[in-house]
């Protein structure tokens, strides 16, 4: 019995040593996992803070650009143009699509689609009775972030003043609910 | 308590170990029978004062058949203290009795096993009806305080009890070992004395309190150590796993709290953040385009002022083209923000150059930029008035001189 006790003690010491060693290793593994999780948590906190900081942008984006799924016809596109708010009455029946393209900025697809329209063979023309009205229309278009134009020509004629764009484009939101 | 018939083998030399058989229950190692040298020296000093002591020392054969009154179970620790070839003979024996000098040496060598003072009472029948009593005790690690007393065999039991009690009283809690001759220890009165002292009969119950009990305690303590160590091991493992697992779970819980409401963003691995930041930059960029209308107003205002201040020119703006990205083509491959087509009255034909310069310079100053004339002016005569239609162009990022 005593003979075996000696070896049992040694065995127990060995088990204790191994247990302490593997406990230490286990502790190390856990520490690595915990530190990784802490880093992930910190990253998540930063993302959340950034996301919350960008909330005004999210709101502005949603209010500035109409979702593309709600624009299924030229009639609805004309409504989105909303030029009647600037005192210009345009008939959707005279409009036609001049092209569609994705909007990207600094190489990043923004999730916007530009739908361009014309109402004359050579562009999009807005007739105004006087210069003041023409400038008001131009101001309205300029302040709309979802409308874009590259070039405009203001000209006068006997009928009044004309604003002529090569085309007038409406930017529509493609990525719905990504926020 | 009924006495068992113990087979006792007396061994005086190593050669006698051949008598040991499997049936031998007790062995008496008679030892050399000679007291240790130090004890002899002590005896020599005492010899002068005590004649009996001197006689005792001088007759070492008295010790020859002496044996300890305790039957010591063979234990590993005891075994290794003996010579190896002796121990090998004893290992299969259940009990062994050792001579007093062996046990004294053993006690001395195993001092660490004794937590208290040790009184050793060795008593022998000197053959003259007297029993010399030897008393040792430890002082620190040294076995000192050798004393000798002599009692009568007839009163050995009561006298021995008194001596033991007196030693206990003197040294306090002391452990006691008794020894004596077989004849003496066979006396029931002596056995009773030891029985009272030890709480058990010396020959019948081979369970002395010292030092074998300590060895048995060692077994228990070894088992306890094993259990303790395994318990510690399990505890360490359990605690490590439990604590770390709890910490990890807490971190995961923190993560769940952190991502609440932005799960889709997290799942996209920050792509949504990047996209959103680009959206922000894009919106900031297109917001600056609102200056185009201001530029157009400036141009129109400048034309109006030409008309107001250079009245003879009667300047009329025919068309005004404006490019949001400054890409209107002009002369010599230059690009402009705007191109204005003006019609002005120039009076006499030779004044065309001056008139155009006046208008261009005036507008340039008003706009704060440098203006270019894009085409060779063509003079039209209408109603006797010379008019010129010409195009001027400019960039708002080019400050005029």
């Amino acid at each position: 019995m005593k003979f075996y006790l000696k070896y049992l003690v040694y065995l127990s010491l060995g088990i204790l040593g191994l247990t302490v060693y593997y406990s230490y290793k286990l502790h190390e593994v856990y520490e690595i996992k915990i530190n990784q999780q802490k880093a992930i948590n910190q990253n998540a906190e930063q993302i959340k803070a950034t996301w919350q900081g960008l909330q005004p942008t999210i709101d502005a984006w949603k209010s500035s650009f109409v979702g593309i799924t709600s624009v299924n016809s030229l009639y609805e596109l004309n409504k989105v143009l909303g030029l009647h708010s600037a005192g210009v009455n345009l008939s959707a029946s005279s409009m036609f699509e001049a092209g569609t393209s994705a909007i990207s900025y600094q190489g990043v697809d923004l999730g916007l689609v530009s739908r361009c329209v014309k109402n004359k063979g050579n562009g999009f023309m807005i007739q105004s009775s006087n210069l003041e009205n023409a400038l008001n229309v131009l101001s309205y278009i300029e302040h709309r972030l979802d409308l874009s134009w590259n070039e405009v020509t203001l000209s006068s004629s006997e009928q009044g003043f004309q604003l002529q764009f090569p085309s007038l484009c409406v930017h529509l939101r493609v990525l719905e609910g990504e926020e | 308590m009924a006495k068992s018939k113990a087979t006792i083998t007396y061994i005086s030399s190593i050669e006698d170990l051949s008598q040991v058989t499997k049936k031998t229950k007790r062995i008496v190692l008679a030892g050399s029978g000679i007291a240790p040298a130090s004890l002899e020296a002590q005896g020599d000093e005492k010899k002068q004062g005590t004649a009996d002591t001197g006689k005792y020392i001088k007759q070492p054969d008295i010790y020859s058949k002496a044996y300890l009154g305790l039957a010591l179970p063979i234990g590993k620790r005891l075994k290794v203290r003996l010579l190896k070839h002796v121990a090998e003979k004893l290992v299969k024996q259940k009990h062994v009795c050792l001579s007093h000098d062996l046990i004294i040496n053993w006690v001395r060598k195993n001092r660490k096993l004794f937590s208290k003072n040790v009184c050793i009472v060795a008593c022998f029948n000197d053959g003259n009806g007297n029993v010399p009593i030897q008393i040792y005790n430890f002082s620190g690690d040294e076995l000192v305080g050798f004393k000798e007393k002599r009692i009568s065999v007839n009163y050995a039991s009561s006298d021995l009890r008194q001596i033991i009690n007196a030693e206990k009283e003197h040294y306090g809690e002391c452990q006691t070992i008794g020894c004596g001759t077989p004849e003496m220890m066979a006396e029931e009165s002596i056995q009773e004395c030891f029985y009272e002292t030890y709480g058990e009969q010396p020959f019948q119950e081979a369970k002395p309190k010292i030092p074998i009990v300590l060895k048995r305690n060692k077994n228990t303590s070894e088992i306890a150590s094993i259990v303790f160590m395994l318990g510690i091991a399990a505890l360490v493992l359990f605690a490590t796993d439990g604590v770390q697992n709890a910490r990890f779970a807490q971190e995961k819980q923190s993560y769940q709290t952190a991502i609440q409401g932005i799960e889709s963003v997290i799942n996209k691995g920050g792509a949504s953040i990047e996209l959103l930041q680009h959206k922000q930059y894009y919106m900031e960029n297109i917001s600056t385009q609102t200056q185009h209308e201001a530029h157009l107003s400036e141009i129109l205002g400048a034309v109006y002022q030409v008309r107001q201040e250079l009245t003879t020119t009667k300047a009329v703006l025919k068309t005004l083209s404006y490019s949001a990205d400054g890409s209107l083509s002009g002369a010599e491959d230059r690009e402009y923000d705007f191109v204005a087509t003006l019609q002005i009255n120039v009076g006499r034909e030779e004044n065309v150059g001056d008139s155009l310069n006046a208008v261009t310079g005036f507008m340039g100053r008003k706009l704060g930029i440098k203006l270019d004339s894009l085409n060779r002016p063509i003079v039209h005569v209408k109603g006797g008035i010379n008019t010129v239609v010409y195009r001027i162009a400019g960039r708002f990022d080019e400050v005029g001189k």
Side-chain angles (χ1 to χ4, degrees):
Chain A
M1 176 66 179
K2 292 177 183 176
F3 177 78
Y4 293 115
L5 272 177
K6 174 184 174 183
Y7 293 103
L8 276 175
V9 169
Y10 293 156
L11 184 64
S12 302
L13 275 173
I15 291 172
L16 178 62
L18 280 174
T19 307
V20 169
Y21 175 75
Y22 282 110
S23 295
Y24 176 71
K25 286 292 177 188
L26 183 68
H27 179 269
E28 278 188 333
V29 170
Y30 264 116
E31 279 299 316
I32 291 169
K33 287 178 68 178
I34 288 169
N35 288 335
Q36 285 175 341
Q37 188 62 49
K38 278 183 178 174
I40 292 170
N41 291 1
Q42 196 174 7
N43 188 41
E45 293 282 359
Q46 286 178 347
I47 289 175
K48 190 171 189 175
T50 307
W51 187 258
Q52 287 169 343
L54 289 169
Q55 193 61 42
T57 302
I58 297 170
D59 297 338
W61 191 263
K62 283 183 176 177
S63 61
S64 299
F65 302 102
V66 175
I68 194 169
T69 54
S70 59
V71 182
N72 298 314
S73 65
L74 283 172
Y75 171 75
E76 287 167 335
L77 193 62
N78 189 28
K79 280 178 65 180
V80 174
L81 276 174
L83 292 177
H84 59 277
S85 301
V88 178
N89 289 318
L90 290 174
S91 172
S93 59
S94 64
M95 293 182 185
F96 56 93
E97 295 259 6
T100 302
S101 60
I103 303 294
S104 62
Y105 182 69
Q106 294 180 341
V108 176
D109 189 344
L110 296 175
L112 288 177
V113 163
S114 174
R115 287 178 69 176
C116 299
V117 290
K118 295 182 179 180
N119 59 0
K120 296 287 184 186
N122 55 351
F124 191 91
M125 187 177 292
I126 298 172
Q127 187 72 38
S128 185
S129 57
N130 54 54
L131 181 60
E132 186 181 1
N133 284 344
L135 290 178
N136 282 342
V137 171
L138 190 61
S139 174
Y140 173 80
I141 292 173
E142 261 201 299
H143 284 87
R144 285 275 302 272
L145 297 181
D146 60 338
L147 300 182
S148 72
W149 52 274
N150 286 332
E151 197 177 314
V152 62
T153 299
L154 175 67
S155 59
S156 61
S157 66
E158 291 178 356
Q159 288 77 28
F161 288 85
Q162 289 178 337
L163 288 171
Q164 185 167 348
F165 304 91
S167 66
L168 189 61
C169 303
V170 183
H171 296 175
L172 301 171
R173 213 165 6 103
V174 176
L175 301 176
E176 297 286 351
E178 80 274 27
E179 295 89 7
Chain B
M1 182 180 286
K3 295 181 181 176
S4 64
K5 290 184 179 179
T7 302
I8 300 175
T9 304
Y10 295 91
I11 298 176
S12 298
S13 65
I14 296 302
E15 288 70 24
D16 291 339
L17 286 170
S18 61
Q19 301 172 35
V20 177
T21 67
K22 289 184 177 179
K23 292 182 179 178
T24 305
K25 290 187 175 180
R26 291 192 177 88
I27 302 170
V28 174
L29 284 177
S32 65
I34 300 173
S38 59
L39 298 181
E40 279 189 339
Q42 283 185 326
D44 288 339
E45 290 174 3
K46 290 183 177 182
K47 181 175 63 177
Q48 298 174 354
T50 308
D52 292 336
T53 306
K55 183 182 178 184
Y56 173 72
I57 294 296
K58 287 178 180 176
Q59 296 176 0
D61 57 326
I62 291 176
Y63 302 87
S64 63
K65 293 298 180 186
Y67 66 100
L68 280 173
L70 291 178
L72 304 176
I74 295 171
K76 183 181 175 187
R77 186 179 294 279
L78 185 58
K79 185 180 69 177
V80 297
R81 297 299 173 187
L82 298 173
L83 293 173
K84 187 179 179 183
H85 61 276
V86 176
E88 286 173 350
K89 290 287 185 182
L90 301 177
V91 70
K92 293 179 180 177
Q93 304 305 316
K94 187 175 181 182
H95 298 100
V96 61
C97 293
L98 301 176
S99 63
H100 79 284
D101 53 339
L102 284 179
I103 196 67
I104 287 170
N105 285 335
W106 185 83
V107 168
R108 182 185 286 122
K109 288 178 181 175
N110 293 277
R111 175 68 184 97
K112 60 185 179 182
L113 296 176
F114 299 89
S115 58
K116 301 173 183 175
N117 294 327
V118 176
C119 308
I120 297 176
V121 180
C123 42
F124 309 95
N125 190 339
D126 62 359
N128 297 322
N130 294 320
V131 177
I133 306 296
Q134 296 176 14
I135 302 167
Y136 310 90
N137 70 283
F138 272 110
S139 174
D141 290 339
E142 295 298 323
L143 191 61
V144 297
F146 171 77
K147 290 189 291 187
E148 186 175 288
K149 292 185 178 180
R150 194 172 288 272
I151 60 174
S152 170
V153 171
N154 298 328
Y155 305 101
S157 175
S158 59
D159 290 351
L160 190 57
R161 184 180 299 111
Q162 286 178 2
I163 289 171
I164 291 171
N165 290 337
E167 292 303 317
K168 282 187 175 179
E169 190 173 347
H170 184 264
Y171 291 107
E173 291 292 327
C174 69
Q175 296 157 316
T176 310
I177 299 171
C179 58
T181 63
E183 296 79 8
M184 178 183 164
M185 298 307 291
E187 292 180 18
E188 287 192 1
S189 60
I190 300 296
Q191 288 187 21
E192 286 173 3
C193 171
F194 278 98
Y195 180 77
E196 291 177 5
T197 305
Y198 303 125
E200 57 191 50
Q201 292 189 28
F203 283 101
Q204 298 301 319
E205 303 294 335
K207 296 178 181 175
K209 292 294 185 289
I210 59 150
I212 301 306
V213 171
L214 292 174
K215 287 196 290 185
R216 288 185 175 169
N217 284 340
K218 178 66 178 175
N219 294 347
T220 308
S221 65
E222 283 172 343
I223 293 171
S225 298
I226 293 169
V227 173
F228 178 75
M229 284 188 286
L230 292 177
I232 288 290
L235 190 65
V236 167
L237 195 60
F238 177 77
T240 303
D241 184 61
V243 170
Q244 294 294 77
N245 203 22
R247 286 181 61 201
F248 186 53
Q250 188 178 5
E251 292 299 331
K252 284 168 74 178
Q253 180 63 36
S254 300
Y255 176 73
Q256 292 299 327
T257 306
I259 67 167
Q260 206 164 14
I262 58 165
E263 290 87 348
S264 62
V265 179
I266 295 293
N267 291 337
K268 289 177 183 175
S272 296
I273 295 284
E274 189 182 357
L275 176 60
L276 201 53
Q277 284 172 334
H278 275 89
K279 286 177 179 178
Q280 186 183 24
Y281 303 148
Y282 172 74
M283 291 179 77
E284 288 171 356
N285 182 52
I286 60 176
S287 294
T288 60
Q289 292 179 359
T290 53
Q291 64 183 336
H292 299 322
E293 182 222 348
H295 287 162
L296 283 171
S297 295
E298 283 182 52
I299 297 166
L300 293 173
V303 173
Y304 178 75
Q305 287 183 344
V306 168
R307 191 178 176 86
Q308 291 294 313
E309 297 186 26
L310 303 177
T311 52
T312 55
T313 63
K314 295 185 179 178
V316 174
L317 178 67
K318 303 299 287 184
T319 62
L320 173 60
S321 296
Y322 183 90
S323 170
D325 55 3
S327 60
L328 287 175
S329 58
E332 298 174 356
D333 297 330
R334 289 195 66 199
E335 291 185 330
Y336 297 95
D337 288 333
F338 69 91
V339 175
T341 305
L342 295 175
Q343 177 185 306
I344 60 172
N345 292 344
V346 294
R348 293 184 298 177
E349 190 169 353
E350 56 268 28
N351 293 335
V352 169
D354 293 337
S355 299
L356 294 183
N357 287 338
V359 171
T360 304
F362 185 87
M363 281 190 64
R365 285 191 297 274
K366 288 295 177 184
L367 295 173
I369 60 175
K370 176 178 174 294
L371 297 178
D372 291 342
S373 178
L374 294 185
N375 62 321
R376 186 184 184 88
I378 301 171
V379 179
H380 298 273
V381 180
K382 189 177 181 180
I385 299 171
N386 292 326
T387 61
V388 171
V389 176
Y390 79 114
R391 297 166 68 206
I392 55 175
R395 293 183 64 88
F396 283 96
D397 55 0
E398 289 183 351
V399 179
K401 296 177 181 177

